Amino acid sequence: MDPVRLRDLARQLGAELVGDGDLLVTGVAGLEHAGPGDITFLAARERIEQLAGCPAAAVIVGPGLEADRPALRVADPYAAFSLLLSRLEMDPDRVFPPGIHPTAVVDPTADVARAVAIGPYCVIGAGAVVGEGTRLGAHVVLGPEVTVGRDGFLHAGVCIREKCRVGDRVILHSHCVVGSDGFGYRPGPAGLVKIPQVGIVVLEDDVELGAGTCVDRATVGQTVIGRGTKLDNLVQVGHNVVIGAHCAISAQTGISGSCKLGSGVTMGGQVGLADHLTIGDGVKVGAKSGLHRDTPAGSEVFGYPALDAREAFRVASALRKLPDLLRTVARLERLVGETHESREEAPE
Amino acid sequence: MDPVRLRDLARQLGAELVGDGDLLVTGVAGLEHAGPGDITFLAARERIEQLAGCPAAAVIVGPGLEADRPALRVADPYAAFSLLLSRLEMDPDRVFPPGIHPTAVVDPTADVARAVAIGPYCVIGAGAVVGEGTRLGAHVVLGPEVTVGRDGFLHAGVCIREKCRVGDRVILHSHCVVGSDGFGYRPGPAGLVKIPQVGIVVLEDDVELGAGTCVDRATVGQTVIGRGTKLDNLVQVGHNVVIGAHCAISAQTGISGSCKLGSGVTMGGQVGLADHLTIGDGVKVGAKSGLHRDTPAGSEVFGYPALDAREAFRVASALRKLPDLLRTVARLERLVGETHESREEAPE
Amino acid sequence: MDPVRLRDLARQLGAELVGDGDLLVTGVAGLEHAGPGDITFLAARERIEQLAGCPAAAVIVGPGLEADRPALRVADPYAAFSLLLSRLEMDPDRVFPPGIHPTAVVDPTADVARAVAIGPYCVIGAGAVVGEGTRLGAHVVLGPEVTVGRDGFLHAGVCIREKCRVGDRVILHSHCVVGSDGFGYRPGPAGLVKIPQVGIVVLEDDVELGAGTCVDRATVGQTVIGRGTKLDNLVQVGHNVVIGAHCAISAQTGISGSCKLGSGVTMGGQVGLADHLTIGDGVKVGAKSGLHRDTPAGSEVFGYPALDAREAFRVASALRKLPDLLRTVARLERLVGETHESREEAPE
């Protein structure tokens, strides 16, 4: 990042300048990683103690927060910090050079004319459509009749299989696979027989899928990822799953077929859902949990098998006392045995 | 799907027509997703109650089952339903256009002449062989001396490393990796030293690997996936593992090196096996289980660490009672303490 | 492997020949898989009993170990065995044919001249650098300003995003993704808002990443994998993680953002770490563990939630006794209840 004076940052962010406007800022970092010369931010009042130990040269603060060093006061510090970060991103034209690369194999019936960038060695199938403003990196493969909306970013190596539909402003990270066959077999005389997976995947607007994430096509019908939902890396979504809007699902989580998630569901990493579950709006699932039952809206669950979070913590805490409990009960058995014997021996 | 009259479907499936043959069927769906206009199926008598609430226009039923709407009676409803689905699949010639794409880099010593399709940007190494009827999607990479049998489907982005052997009718989904190095190191004076992984992978006939699945080559010898075995997405198979025939292994499961699985083993998602285990024929492993011991044929296991399923459920059920048990025992301690004291104080 | 006489192997390995030097060796295998004709090895004295049942024709042994068949005596049998295996590896020039393939798209400002091999369909971005002796397989994608050091192997399909830095002798297996966006969002009025991920990834010298493994770029600053550290397949490393030197992390493990691991940490498969943890030097983490707390150097932990290994085993062992414990305590309650009642009824 080029060094910039604090007063200039204030102007760029529309912030109120507090303190020395000539201060030179040379970097941007979150509170825990910030060094001298950096500007950082405080998102909420309760973190002002952490600021004391932080060597950052300047800080972005919210209304009503006193800073102990040169600062920029804004309505939303987190958003202002994000805006600064976006200035440090590599120019998209450098990551995804504009134009349709001459090596891209584009079916004559595909429509990619409005895309900003189709990278080297992309393969775009018959009848596929890529919307205005969208950028494809190298080696992206769109199968026949795939549609991708506007202003999207498909990173190198993404594969989207035939007939799947991707909305606007969708971001797909490297090597994710959309529309692979669901894991469907029926028993046959000579072993498992594959059930054709003839449905599709629909990714609604503003969805983001992490690197290596896999979303399977439906057996029939649609596997749906709802508007604004974000999946981390190496997540697995089985056939006929329907995920609502604005969910956040962390890395390596797996959602078995035909699950139905409401909106605003959040899951930690390495969570597993059995098939055919209904998970209500706003459910929060702790990392590594295993869900095998429907979960009502608003629940917080944790564990394997997953329980309501408060019960799960009680159980986990009790579990550590179990070895001692065994010894205590053994001792009680002896004592009660003696009492019982002595009562039998010595009549009242 | 083009609308089709029920009598025409009956003829196509070799089914007995029951009811109105002029009924127009406009879609196909499983029982839970079927809407008006769809044809669905009933696989077993016990589900006839579910049919009552289903809006499907028609249903495929088995012998001896009374339907409450126009129906097609067949010997095997599941198979007939599957056959209908296969009619809805995109023509393979559209997904994998026939011919060797001019951009495919095929070593002069490779033999791919009998393949139906070699897609854009495939890279086929020296001495590799692709059998009759097999189709490769875009960007498939076969290393030197890789052999792939007949009638296979290798989806976009599949990588098979040198010398690995793939049988007939094998289906590999996008981005799976066959023959990557096993995770083998030995301690050295300056850190871990890589042990060369010089073995291969053998995928027998009718194997299917899901998207992103990784099967490591053996240190020496072979990592084997047996005939008819199906692996879901993002599964990891370590070096020198031998998996028998007709197994079904769900997503994100990991099998450490040198494990030996019999035939007909089924595993849920996110299962983990420690290394060097022997798992007998027909073992069923519940999702998220962690196996650390040999498991005899026919067992059903569950949990982490995995136990026989019935014991595992007893333990999981007992676990929820543990917080109360701690309180109960504390109370018993007090009561027994009083009894004990009073007996000491008040001689008989 | 071409058959070779034992005396010739002795000469190649600088070993002391014991027994019949004319013996023809036709293969190499570890103790458990060795067959007649093979040469195997014994790494430590305590395994001499296993050798008795092994049909191998010859064995590599260490100093002071008596063999029961023709043998090669060396200072370090494991290293000698490894050296033999390396003779069985396919010539790197056959796996990664030397030269810059004419189909590689190399930006004019990239510097790859010293690389040994740039495979078909590689895409090398503006300002990228590939060091001397390094080999890239087919379809490798290096983003703008990526630097890769010397003597590395990047297998087919590897993706490294803009500005990331890869050291010397780094091995990246197929389809791993380096520098994908970290999973970072902030709440906004219309849903989650993406936080730009503007940092990079640094892979130090001698790092190896398995197939499908993903290492996310930092929000700001660096995600670091330390010198000599080895990650297995399908591992996830979140943004701003710092991993020390000489760690070994097994398949499908996930390390959440901002964790800090010391050196020499080893983790089994499917381990999960919550975010912002500090894990000290030499910590050993058992497979499938879930860590949610800082872990001091030298600890051995296991379980979910992870506990010190000895405690974890006590708890796991006690857990199996829990169903019986419930019955025992119920019985005690009845007995104590009777005692208590009889004491109340029958005054002393």
Side-chain angles (χ1 to χ4, degrees):
Chain A
M1 160 172 163
D2 293 333
V4 56
R5 297 214 181 268
L6 195 60
R7 70 173 79 262
D8 294 330
L9 272 183
R11 195 184 56 247
Q12 293 175 27
L13 294 178
E16 172 194 346
L17 174 63
V18 178
D20 179 10
D22 282 329
L23 178 73
L24 213 56
V25 172
T26 55
V28 181
L31 210 53
E32 60 180 309
H33 296 297
D38 285 339
I39 185 163
T40 187
F41 78 106
L42 263 188
R45 178 176 286 275
E46 63 267 32
R47 294 183 69 189
I48 201 169
E49 297 73 25
Q50 290 161 267
L51 183 58
C54 174
V59 61
I60 301 169
V61 294
L65 207 69
E66 288 308 313
D68 59 353
R69 65 198 74 193
L72 302 180
R73 185 166 284 119
V74 293
D76 184 345
Y78 208 174
F81 181 72
S82 261
L83 186 55
L84 268 188
L85 290 182
S86 70
R87 302 252 166 85
L88 297 174
E89 282 190 292
M90 180 173 278
D91 180 351
D93 282 354
R94 192 163 166 81
V95 181
F96 300 92
I100 298 177
H101 199 271
T103 61
V105 171
V106 182
D107 190 276
T109 63
D111 171 8
V112 305
R114 292 161 294 156
V116 169
I118 305 284
Y121 302 125
C122 285
V123 178
I124 314 288
V129 179
V130 178
E132 183 169 350
T134 287
R135 301 174 188 257
L136 271 55
H139 298 125
V140 170
V141 178
L142 304 187
E145 295 170 37
V146 165
T147 59
V148 178
R150 329 172 27 129
D151 300 321
F153 292 87
L154 275 56
H155 286 266
V158 162
C159 283
I160 306 182
R161 272 190 50 192
E162 66 276 15
K163 302 199 292 184
C164 292
R165 308 210 300 256
V166 175
D168 298 335
R169 298 174 301 280
V170 169
I171 302 174
L172 302 182
H173 289 284
S174 282
H175 292 326
C176 73
V177 181
V178 176
S180 198
D181 287 355
F183 194 60
Y185 303 91
R186 58 184 177 86
L192 293 166
V193 181
K194 188 172 171 67
I195 299 170
Q197 304 292 306
V198 305
I200 67 169
V201 173
V202 173
L203 305 182
E204 293 188 352
D205 296 344
D206 301 296
V207 159
E208 185 163 3
L209 302 188
T213 279
C214 301
V215 181
D216 287 347
R217 69 198 309 114
T219 309
V220 175
Q222 301 179 349
T223 303
V224 181
I225 312 279
R227 163 173 54 89
T229 281
K230 318 294 183 185
L231 269 52
D232 199 348
N233 300 347
L234 295 170
V235 169
Q236 157 66 9
V237 178
H239 51 182
N240 286 91
V241 165
V242 175
I243 297 179
H246 304 306
C247 297
I249 295 174
S250 298
Q252 298 171 320
T253 282
I255 301 174
S256 300
S258 296
C259 281
K260 188 165 165 52
L261 274 59
S263 62
V265 174
T266 61
M267 297 189 173
Q270 298 181 349
V271 167
L273 266 60
D275 61 285
H276 287 86
L277 301 185
T278 298
I279 310 296
D281 294 345
V283 165
K284 296 187 203 298
V285 185
K288 268 190 173 291
S289 298
L291 275 61
H292 64 110
R293 292 207 289 223
D294 291 353
T295 307
S299 309
E300 288 196 39
V301 297
F302 180 68
Y304 164 67
L307 303 169
D308 175 81
R310 283 169 300 175
E311 182 181 4
F313 285 122
R314 277 199 303 266
V315 167
S317 163
L319 199 46
R320 297 188 70 177
K321 300 174 187 169
L322 183 53
D324 283 344
L325 187 68
L326 284 162
R327 282 185 285 274
T328 298
V329 170
R331 183 169 53 79
L332 284 175
E333 277 191 288
R334 287 192 302 274
L335 285 174
V336 170
E338 294 166 9
T339 305
H340 201 67
E341 285 163 5
S342 63
R343 283 181 61 238
E344 288 177 336
E345 291 162 4
E348 301 298 330
Chain B
M1 159 173 162
D2 294 334
V4 55
R5 298 215 180 268
L6 194 60
R7 69 174 78 262
D8 294 329
L9 272 183
R11 195 185 56 247
Q12 292 175 30
L13 295 178
E16 170 195 346
L17 173 64
V18 177
D20 179 10
D22 282 329
L23 179 73
L24 211 58
V25 172
T26 55
V28 181
L31 209 53
E32 62 180 306
H33 297 297
D38 285 338
I39 186 165
T40 187
F41 79 107
L42 262 188
R45 176 175 287 276
E46 64 265 34
R47 295 183 70 187
I48 200 168
E49 296 72 27
Q50 290 161 269
L51 184 57
C54 174
V59 60
I60 301 169
V61 294
L65 207 70
E66 288 309 312
D68 58 354
R69 64 199 74 192
L72 301 180
R73 185 166 284 119
V74 293
D76 184 343
Y78 208 174
F81 181 72
S82 261
L83 188 54
L84 267 189
L85 290 181
S86 70
R87 303 253 168 84
L88 296 175
E89 281 190 294
M90 181 173 278
D91 181 353
D93 281 355
R94 191 163 166 83
V95 182
F96 300 92
I100 299 178
H101 199 271
T103 61
V105 170
V106 182
D107 189 276
T109 62
D111 171 9
V112 303
R114 293 160 295 156
V116 169
I118 304 284
Y121 301 126
C122 284
V123 178
I124 315 289
V129 179
V130 178
E132 182 169 349
T134 288
R135 301 174 188 256
L136 270 56
H139 298 126
V140 170
V141 179
L142 305 187
E145 294 169 38
V146 165
T147 59
V148 178
R150 330 173 26 130
D151 299 322
F153 291 88
L154 275 57
H155 285 265
V158 163
C159 284
I160 306 182
R161 272 191 50 192
E162 67 277 14
K163 302 200 291 182
C164 293
R165 306 211 300 257
V166 175
D168 299 335
R169 298 173 301 282
V170 169
I171 302 174
L172 302 182
H173 288 284
S174 282
H175 291 326
C176 73
V177 180
V178 176
S180 200
D181 287 354
F183 194 59
Y185 304 90
R186 59 185 176 85
L192 293 166
V193 182
K194 187 170 172 70
I195 298 170
Q197 304 291 304
V198 305
I200 67 169
V201 173
V202 173
L203 306 182
E204 295 188 351
D205 296 345
D206 300 296
V207 160
E208 184 163 5
L209 302 187
T213 279
C214 301
V215 181
D216 287 348
R217 67 197 311 113
T219 309
V220 175
Q222 301 180 348
T223 303
V224 182
I225 312 279
R227 164 173 51 91
T229 281
K230 317 293 183 187
L231 269 53
D232 199 347
N233 300 346
L234 295 169
V235 169
Q236 157 67 9
V237 178
H239 50 182
N240 287 90
V241 164
V242 174
I243 297 179
H246 303 307
C247 297
I249 295 173
S250 297
Q252 297 171 321
T253 282
I255 300 173
S256 300
S258 295
C259 281
K260 186 163 167 51
L261 275 58
S263 62
V265 174
T266 61
M267 296 190 174
Q270 298 180 349
V271 168
L273 267 62
D275 61 286
H276 287 86
L277 301 185
T278 298
I279 311 295
D281 294 346
V283 165
K284 296 186 204 299
V285 184
K288 266 188 175 291
S289 298
L291 276 62
H292 64 110
R293 294 207 287 224
D294 291 352
T295 306
S299 309
E300 288 196 38
V301 297
F302 179 68
Y304 163 67
L307 303 170
D308 175 80
R310 283 169 300 175
E311 183 180 5
F313 286 121
R314 277 199 302 268
V315 167
S317 163
L319 200 46
R320 297 187 71 176
K321 301 174 186 169
L322 183 54
D324 283 344
L325 187 68
L326 284 163
R327 283 186 283 274
T328 298
V329 170
R331 181 169 53 78
L332 283 175
E333 277 192 287
R334 288 192 300 276
L335 285 174
V336 170
E338 293 165 10
T339 304
H340 203 66
E341 287 164 4
S342 62
R343 283 182 59 238
E344 290 178 335
E345 292 160 4
E348 299 299 330
Chain C
M1 161 173 160
D2 295 332
V4 56
R5 297 215 180 270
L6 194 61
R7 71 172 77 261
D8 294 329
L9 272 183
R11 195 185 54 247
Q12 292 174 26
L13 294 178
E16 170 194 348
L17 173 64
V18 177
D20 179 10
D22 283 330
L23 178 74
L24 213 57
V25 173
T26 55
V28 181
L31 210 52
E32 60 180 308
H33 297 296
D38 286 338
I39 185 165
T40 187
F41 79 106
L42 262 188
R45 176 176 289 273
E46 64 267 32
R47 295 183 71 188
I48 200 168
E49 297 73 25
Q50 290 160 269
L51 183 58
C54 174
V59 60
I60 301 170
V61 294
L65 208 69
E66 289 308 312
D68 59 355
R69 63 198 75 192
L72 301 180
R73 185 166 284 118
V74 293
D76 183 343
Y78 207 175
F81 181 72
S82 262
L83 187 55
L84 268 189
L85 290 181
S86 70
R87 303 250 168 87
L88 296 174
E89 282 191 292
M90 181 173 279
D91 180 352
D93 282 355
R94 191 161 166 82
V95 182
F96 300 92
I100 299 178
H101 199 271
T103 60
V105 171
V106 181
D107 190 275
T109 63
D111 171 8
V112 305
R114 293 161 295 156
V116 169
I118 304 284
Y121 301 126
C122 285
V123 178
I124 315 288
V129 179
V130 179
E132 183 169 350
T134 288
R135 301 173 189 257
L136 271 54
H139 297 126
V140 171
V141 178
L142 304 186
E145 294 170 36
V146 165
T147 58
V148 178
R150 328 172 27 129
D151 300 322
F153 291 88
L154 275 54
H155 286 264
V158 162
C159 283
I160 306 182
R161 272 191 50 193
E162 68 276 15
K163 302 199 292 183
C164 292
R165 307 211 300 256
V166 175
D168 298 335
R169 298 174 302 279
V170 169
I171 302 174
L172 302 182
H173 288 283
S174 282
H175 291 327
C176 73
V177 180
V178 176
S180 200
D181 287 354
F183 194 59
Y185 303 90
R186 59 183 177 86
L192 294 165
V193 182
K194 187 172 173 65
I195 298 170
Q197 304 292 303
V198 305
I200 66 168
V201 173
V202 173
L203 305 182
E204 295 189 351
D205 296 345
D206 300 296
V207 160
E208 184 163 4
L209 302 188
T213 279
C214 301
V215 181
D216 286 349
R217 68 198 310 116
T219 309
V220 176
Q222 301 180 350
T223 303
V224 181
I225 313 281
R227 165 173 50 90
T229 281
K230 317 294 182 186
L231 269 51
D232 199 349
N233 300 345
L234 295 169
V235 169
Q236 157 66 9
V237 177
H239 51 183
N240 287 89
V241 165
V242 175
I243 297 178
H246 304 307
C247 296
I249 295 174
S250 298
Q252 297 171 321
T253 282
I255 300 173
S256 299
S258 296
C259 281
K260 187 164 165 52
L261 276 59
S263 62
V265 173
T266 61
M267 297 189 174
Q270 298 181 349
V271 168
L273 265 62
D275 61 286
H276 286 87
L277 300 184
T278 298
I279 311 296
D281 295 344
V283 165
K284 296 186 203 299
V285 184
K288 268 191 173 289
S289 298
L291 275 62
H292 64 109
R293 293 206 288 222
D294 291 353
T295 306
S299 309
E300 288 195 39
V301 297
F302 178 67
Y304 163 68
L307 303 171
D308 174 82
R310 282 167 302 173
E311 182 181 4
F313 286 122
R314 277 198 302 266
V315 167
S317 163
L319 199 46
R320 296 188 71 178
K321 301 174 186 167
L322 184 54
D324 282 345
L325 188 68
L326 284 163
R327 283 186 284 274
T328 298
V329 169
R331 183 169 52 79
L332 284 175
E333 276 191 289
R334 287 192 301 274
L335 285 175
V336 170
E338 292 167 11
T339 305
H340 202 66
E341 287 164 3
S342 62
R343 284 182 60 236
E344 290 177 334
E345 291 161 3
E348 299 300 329

